Amino acid sequence: MEQFKLKNSIPILVWLAIYPALLYYAIMYILSTLCAFFARNILNVELTESVKAVVLLISSVATIPFMFSVYANDRNAGLGIGGYLREHKPSVSKQKIKTALFAAVIVIVMGFALNNLIGMTPLIRWSEGYRNANANLYSGSLAVILMRSAFFVPILEELTFRGIVQFRMSVRLHRIWAILIAALLFAVMHMNVVQSTYAFFLGIVLGIICDHVGHIYPAVIGHMAVNAVTVLRVQFQWLPSLSDGSVSAWLISLGILCFGIAMLLLFVKIPTDSNQNQIHSEQTH
């Protein structure tokens, strides 16, 4: 099956890229507002930081079906993830499990290194938005934080930015542009320079993984894994010496980053089930 590119004007491309992010924001805002109203006025619960964390968790969970419907419509229409993947029933195989685990290790390593390196720059001191966002992110119990940050939010964000934005762009632009546009929107969504910088580079890694596999499942697993490690590292203060600004911390973190890049390059050389299915489909058409 031959890959095709749809010709569109720049305004249409911009709209197709931004629309999913705007929809995500709008639904999250509406649902979180409704949940907060219900808690405050119906349940008579004070909106403490812990309650707000639960509100955000519920809003994240409730937003997933809306974004999944857009993702599924694109897939059924043959946009991006469509094509050969919708000709084969979803299945679990040893190859897919290995692919997901390898992707998770890559994303953990890259995320760990990026967190260290960004944390040793002046960006954190300059960004009040980051400090406020971090305070909100780590409010509530550890269970609530993990459920939201390490499970439901990765599903939601990967559906939106890799599953919809990147794959919409991939049938209209070169794959590199598709990866960069999705990563850029993913970064902008975080609304502060620290998290946006981290999200942009991590978004490129997740985008490359999705582009190679042809599906979002390894990126979802990788995103879950790196968020879980990050939350646990912050909560339990793991390895603070690797982000203390010393020369050794910089060298070790750069070494870890290079190791992650090497693993990513190896990953894209390994055939996946989806690659093999695509080759088989192309040979039979």
Side-chain angles (χ1 to χ4, degrees):
M1 183 177 63
E2 185 178 351
Q3 177 72 16
F4 63 92
K5 298 293 178 184
L6 301 178
K7 301 298 183 181
N8 295 111
S9 64
I10 291 178
I12 291 176
L13 287 172
V14 171
W15 172 247
L16 287 172
I18 293 178
Y19 162 72
L22 292 177
L23 182 64
Y24 169 29
Y25 269 123
I27 294 172
M28 276 289 293
Y29 177 78
I30 292 169
L31 290 176
S32 60
T33 301
L34 289 174
C35 287
F37 177 85
F38 183 81
R40 184 174 55 248
N41 296 286
I42 306 300
L43 300 179
N44 294 318
V45 174
E46 184 181 354
L47 289 180
T48 62
E49 294 302 318
S50 296
V51 173
K52 289 179 182 178
V54 174
V55 166
L56 289 174
L57 170 62
I58 294 171
S59 303
S60 300
V61 174
T63 304
I64 290 174
F66 293 96
M67 300 314 299
F68 183 80
S69 68
V70 179
Y71 165 83
N73 286 338
D74 281 3
R75 177 171 175 166
N76 291 333
L79 296 178
I81 286 183
Y84 72 88
L85 283 179
R86 63 190 177 95
E87 294 171 5
H88 299 270
K89 293 181 180 179
S91 61
V92 176
S93 66
K94 289 183 179 180
Q95 177 64 39
K96 288 182 178 178
I97 293 172
K98 290 178 182 178
T99 298
L101 292 176
F102 193 7
V105 173
I106 292 169
V107 180
I108 288 172
V109 170
M110 298 289 282
F112 186 86
L114 288 169
N115 267 319
N116 290 346
L117 294 169
I118 294 171
M120 292 187 288
T121 68
L123 291 178
I124 292 178
R125 296 196 302 272
W126 296 343
S127 179
E128 183 178 352
Y130 167 74
R131 293 192 293 273
N132 293 335
N134 220 34
N136 292 331
L137 177 62
Y138 292 102
S139 62
S141 68
L142 179 59
V144 170
I145 296 169
L146 283 173
M147 279 193 292
R148 180 173 183 268
S149 298
F151 190 78
F152 292 109
V153 166
I155 294 173
L156 181 56
E157 291 181 343
E158 292 312 309
L159 277 172
T160 303
F161 295 99
R162 257 60 65 181
I164 301 173
V165 175
Q166 180 172 320
F167 283 100
R168 281 185 173 189
M169 295 297 100
S170 69
V171 295
R172 294 172 169 86
L173 300 170
H174 191 279
R175 63 207 305 183
I176 293 177
W177 283 112
I179 292 168
L180 290 175
I181 290 170
L184 180 61
L185 286 174
F186 182 51
V188 170
M189 180 203 72
H190 288 80
M191 294 186 177
N192 66 77
V193 66
V194 176
Q195 289 179 314
S196 292
T197 302
Y198 173 81
F200 178 70
F201 290 108
L202 196 70
I204 291 174
V205 174
L206 294 167
I208 291 171
I209 289 170
C210 280
D211 179 75
H212 176 62
V213 177
H215 202 282
I216 65 170
Y217 75 86
V220 171
I221 299 300
H223 198 155
M224 288 178 175
V226 72
N227 280 14
V229 169
T230 301
V231 168
L232 293 173
R233 187 182 179 195
V234 170
Q235 290 289 326
F236 297 106
Q237 294 296 302
W238 290 345
L239 301 173
S241 61
L242 292 182
S243 56
D244 62 6
S246 64
V247 173
S248 61
W250 276 98
L251 291 176
I252 292 172
S253 297
L254 287 170
I256 294 171
L257 181 66
C258 291
F259 179 63
I261 293 171
M263 285 198 297
L264 183 61
L265 293 174
L266 176 62
F267 180 86
V268 299
K269 298 293 184 182
I270 299 174
T272 66
D273 279 357
S274 299
N275 300 145
Q276 293 166 355
N277 288 339
Q278 184 178 28
I279 292 169
H280 174 74
S281 178
E282 290 172 349
Q283 290 174 344
T284 55
H285 280 71

